[in-house]
């Protein structure tokens, strides 16, 4: 087949154009819209160094943000701020904990969620826990700053879930 006649070239070009979004990197900070920058402001300082997959996930969060109720928006802002304040090794530990949690059988995940909820209620009831309910949940050791929201990742609720 000769590429010169255009018959072979057109399907290849079409496939390349359709696959382009798969190859495209998430934009750098300067390429974000003002609305995206507003939501993702806590991450401005290290946005360009984040892995592409993480930036894409955060762009999804920014896209869902306007549709969230005010309480969910506040939770997203709070968690993004907490995430940005963590040291890189703490972030990596949380990513690993989340991967392990995500890969568990559903029954085991549910047991962990229930234990976490019980622990959180005990902490709130005793007055020893933090006022925001972000205690050290299962798999989240002391001092990492990111407890609650098992199953929601470090950025807040997914798909309109409240995370509770």
């Amino acid at each position: 087949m000769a590429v010169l006649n255009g018959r072979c070239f057109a399907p290849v070009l079409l496939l390349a154009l359709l696959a382009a979004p798969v190859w495209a990197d998430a934009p750098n900070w300067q390429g974000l819209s003002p609305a995206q920058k507003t939501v993702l402001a806590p991450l401005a300082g290290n946005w360009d160094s984040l892995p592409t997959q993480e930036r894409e996930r955060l762009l999804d969060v920014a896209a869902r943000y306007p549709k969230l109720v005010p309480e969910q928006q506040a939770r997203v802002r709070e968690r993004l701020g907490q995430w940005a304040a963590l040291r890189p090794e703490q972030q990596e530990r949380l990513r690993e904990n989340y991967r392990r949690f995500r890969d568990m059988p559903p029954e085991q995940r549910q047991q962990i969620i229930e234990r976490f909820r019980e622990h959180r209620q005990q902490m709130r009831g005793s007055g020893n826990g933090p006022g925001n309910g972000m205690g050290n949940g299962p798999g989240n050791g002391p001092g990492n700053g990111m407890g609650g929201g098992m199953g929601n990742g470090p950025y807040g609720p997914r798909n309109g879930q409240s995370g509770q």
Side-chain angles (χ1 to χ4, degrees):
M1 273 188 212
V3 175
L4 297 175
N5 68 13
R7 288 186 182 153
C8 181
F9 185 70
V12 171
L13 180 62
L14 179 62
L15 285 173
L17 290 173
L18 291 174
V22 173
W23 296 328
D25 284 339
N28 63 17
W29 185 256
Q30 296 304 318
L32 298 181
S33 71
Q36 290 170 322
K37 286 181 180 180
T38 299
V39 174
L40 301 171
L43 303 168
N46 65 341
W47 176 264
D48 293 340
S49 66
L50 294 174
T52 300
Q53 185 177 9
E54 189 168 343
R55 283 188 276 164
E56 289 170 351
R57 216 176 15 245
L58 287 162
L59 290 172
D60 289 341
V61 170
R64 288 191 315 267
Y65 184 84
K67 300 174 191 120
L68 299 175
V69 297
E71 294 85 14
Q72 291 172 319
Q73 289 179 347
R75 172 186 258 133
V76 168
R77 286 190 310 270
E78 178 183 1
R79 290 198 179 164
L80 284 174
Q82 290 172 334
W83 183 256
L86 294 174
R87 294 186 312 270
E89 60 272 10
Q90 291 173 310
Q91 291 177 352
E92 187 52 42
R93 188 171 85 198
L94 287 170
R95 284 185 195 105
E96 180 56 34
N97 285 346
Y98 180 71
R99 282 189 287 268
R100 282 194 314 231
F101 177 79
R102 183 192 61 208
D103 294 342
M104 288 179 183
E107 303 81 29
Q108 191 176 359
R109 281 196 312 256
Q110 190 59 40
Q111 289 173 348
I112 290 173
I113 290 169
E114 290 304 319
R115 283 196 327 233
F116 170 75
R117 286 182 178 155
E118 291 170 10
H119 174 74
R120 185 173 57 182
Q121 289 297 344
Q122 290 172 355
M123 294 301 289
R124 284 181 179 168
S126 69
N128 293 332
N132 66 4
M134 298 295 292
N136 294 320
N140 295 327
N144 68 18
M146 292 291 289
M150 295 299 285
N152 288 328
Y155 312 118
R158 290 191 178 155
N159 301 325
Q161 297 172 347
S162 69
Q164 295 293 327

